[in-house]
Amino acid sequence: MSMHLFAGLRVRDFQAARQWYERLLGEPTFFPHATEAVWTLAEARSVYVVEHAEGAGNSVVTIFIDDLDARVAAIAARGLEPDERLTYSNGVRKALYRDPDGNELGFGGAPLGTGS
């Protein structure tokens, strides 16, 4: 059985949110319709933003990546800094970004010095 994961984030104003998410994730992969954008992050794994005012601001998505520092630097080059940086007791690190509606998208990374 094949699967494709789509993690969704609901926003009040798609056009405003699209600009913010392009700074966070780069150019969208495709647009299913006028108020939705999809970013394919890896094979069979995508994040989408869709206009849905009533449900805006309640989403939480975490993406675990190989090189957290490189991702945070690339996002900073597009004009966004993390709202929060965390290091858990096991050394796992996380950079949290919150969109203007309050949705949270975090990037997690392995502890420093683990080589992954």
Side-chain angles (χ1 to χ4, degrees), residues 2-23:
S2 79
M3 289 188 182
H4 192 123
L5 174 66
F6 281 94
L9 299 139
R10 294 174 172 174
V11 298
R12 283 180 198 46
D13 178 342
F14 174 73
Q15 292 305 323
R18 176 182 166 188
Q19 293 174 17
W20 190 90
Y21 278 95
E22 285 179 359
R23 290 186 1 230

Side-chain angles (χ1 to χ4, degrees), residues 37-91:
V38 176
W39 287 263
T40 301
L41 305 177
E43 185 176 341
R45 286 164 266 178
S46 299
V47 170
Y48 70 93
V49 173
V50 64
E51 189 169 299
H52 186 281
E54 300 80 31
N58 296 308
S59 301
V60 176
V61 173
T62 300
I63 302 163
F64 202 86
I65 55 178
D66 290 336
D67 193 339
L68 178 62
D69 296 326
R71 178 63 58 116
V72 170
I75 294 168
R78 292 190 297 268
L80 290 179
E81 293 293 332
D83 291 299
E84 194 173 344
R85 293 177 190 243
L86 305 167
T87 301
Y88 296 100
S89 61
N90 62 0

